Amino acid sequence: MASGDLERGGRNGKNRANSYHQSSSPFYVENTEKQWTSWLVPMFVVVNVAVFFVVMYINDCPNNNLGFEGSCVAKFLGKLSFQPLKENPLFGPSSHTLDKLGALNWDKVAHGKQGWRLITCIWLHAGVIHLLANMLSLVFIGIRLEQQFGFLRIGLIYLLSGFGGSILSSLFIQDNISVGASGALFGLLGAMLSELLTNWTIYTNKAAALITLVVIIAINLAVGILPHVDNFAHIGGFLTGFLLGFVLLLRPQFGWVQRQHFPAGAPVKSKHRAYQYVFWVIAVVLVIVGFTVGLVMLFRGENGNDHCSWCHYLSCVPTSSWHCGK
């Protein structure tokens, strides 16, 4: 990518009980629960790939490249050929094309009243490498979640997490453009974590599942401290998805699910535990407050770094091998 761009990019054990399928993931599925057919996540993948082809066609490197950074890559692709690698090492379009087609640009969102960029940037990618990394992650994470919880809940988490990631990114990254679906992907990871926590009592291999998931999340967030990676989009998406998981991914207690098999007059457990309702209320309040405060600050043109002098280290930590610029 060009130096002015930021990319957003980048489960285990036994059954819960005898009525749960064996799985290599900590997210088990009850036999008594409805299994959904995953179609929304594959559609998201198709849309992202299609949008990338459209972007490359509009980019039209052979006719628009001025040659300052070298010649186009893979010229045999014609209009779909890539920008010079010195300009975009991820095999993709120019910064100008991404910006024109809806990349996240703080100045245009805050002062140009182009709030739609908070959504459109989720569907744009900086290059083939960026696209492949995000789409493979979406397939591996999203399909299983959609099979367990359905297209509506997972679709809402994906889109709202991407939106939340865009808001936080805009508040802290104001000198570069940003594109990518990884804020939404981190939202799915966050939702997986909160789903495990809020449904804690129906898991058997709790510690292994929790440790594995936390390690995966930590590694992915650690990658975000490298230069030219928008870790604020990752963090914003993760926090949004984490809160939404408490709201949308509640599972009924095992005793309630099996109530039809109990003898008449046998005591039946409540559908959810009290702590699940507490988490639900807290999460709803935090999501509403977070979105409201973030959007108000954004459209007032405020810079998040003015309120947090150390937060820039969350997205890039300078070392002897690289610098973070602004």
Side-chain angles (χ1 to χ4, degrees):
M1 294 173 57
S3 60
D5 295 346
L6 291 168
E7 65 161 294
R8 301 177 180 180
R11 296 175 251 248
N12 324 327
K14 301 179 181 178
N15 299 14
R16 296 181 193 168
N18 291 334
S19 64
Y20 292 8
H21 293 299
Q22 291 285 351
S23 174
S24 60
S25 165
F27 294 88
Y28 313 104
V29 183
E30 298 179 6
N31 286 345
T32 53
E33 289 182 343
K34 178 179 180 180
Q35 289 295 288
W36 299 76
T37 299
S38 176
W39 61 268
L40 185 63
V41 168
M43 188 183 75
F44 280 165
V45 173
V46 171
V47 171
N48 275 280
V49 172
V51 168
F52 184 75
F53 274 99
V54 171
V55 170
M56 292 307 304
Y57 184 85
I58 294 174
N59 184 69
D60 192 5
C61 182
N63 292 318
N64 294 321
N65 180 38
L66 299 178
F68 297 132
E69 300 289 344
S71 58
C72 300
V73 177
K75 292 182 179 179
F76 64 90
L77 294 174
K79 286 189 172 185
L80 300 178
S81 58
F82 310 119
Q83 292 298 117
L85 293 182
K86 287 185 178 180
E87 180 182 351
N88 187 340
L90 298 179
F91 299 96
S94 66
S95 305
H96 174 74
T97 299
L98 290 171
D99 192 27
K100 180 173 66 175
L101 295 180
L104 188 59
N105 183 318
W106 169 77
D107 185 61
K108 292 181 178 179
V109 172
H111 301 127
K113 306 305 178 185
Q114 298 181 16
W116 48 268
R117 289 178 178 269
L118 296 168
I119 296 296
T120 55
C121 65
I122 302 170
W123 305 96
L124 299 173
H125 285 83
V128 173
I129 296 175
H130 190 201
L131 177 68
L132 285 176
N134 277 350
M135 293 306 99
L136 287 174
S137 298
L138 178 57
V139 168
F140 286 123
I141 298 172
I143 286 181
R144 175 174 287 276
L145 286 174
E146 186 180 355
Q147 288 173 338
Q148 292 187 29
F149 297 103
F151 71 93
L152 181 59
R153 287 185 280 181
I154 299 308
L156 281 173
I157 291 173
Y158 182 87
L159 295 174
L160 290 175
S161 296
F163 184 63
S166 295
I167 293 174
L168 193 65
S169 175
S170 294
L171 289 174
F172 287 93
I173 306 292
Q174 302 187 347
D175 297 314
N176 303 298
I177 66 172
S178 180
V179 295
S182 52
L185 293 173
F186 269 83
L188 295 181
L189 281 175
M192 290 171 71
L193 179 58
S194 56
E195 191 274 328
L196 174 60
L197 295 175
T198 196
N199 301 316
W200 186 256
T201 58
I202 60 177
Y203 284 93
T204 56
N205 201 15
K206 304 171 185 178
L210 180 61
I211 292 172
T212 301
L213 190 52
V214 169
V215 168
I216 291 172
I217 293 169
I219 291 174
N220 280 276
L221 286 174
V223 173
I225 66 174
L226 298 173
H228 308 305
V229 179
D230 185 358
N231 212 28
F232 285 111
H234 297 174
I235 295 171
F238 173 80
L239 292 176
T240 303
F242 180 71
L243 294 174
L244 289 174
F246 288 117
V247 177
L248 298 175
L249 303 186
L250 274 73
R251 290 184 187 273
Q253 296 300 302
F254 180 72
W256 187 86
V257 173
Q258 296 295 322
R259 68 193 184 284
Q260 66 268 29
H261 302 302
F262 293 170
V268 178
K269 290 185 178 180
S270 61
K271 185 173 183 179
H272 298 106
R273 298 214 172 189
Y275 76 87
Q276 291 179 298
Y277 293 114
V278 173
F279 282 160
W280 190 93
V281 172
I282 294 174
V284 167
V285 172
L286 289 178
V287 167
I288 294 173
V289 171
F291 275 3
T292 301
V293 172
L295 288 171
V296 168
M297 290 179 63
L298 175 58
F299 287 107
R300 287 176 58 182
E302 295 191 30
N303 188 329
N305 294 292
D306 295 336
H307 303 277
C308 180
S309 60
W310 55 268
C311 283
H312 61 279
Y313 291 119
L314 294 175
S315 189
C316 183
V317 176
T319 70
S320 59
S321 302
W322 66 73
H323 63 87
C324 297
K326 296 183 179 180

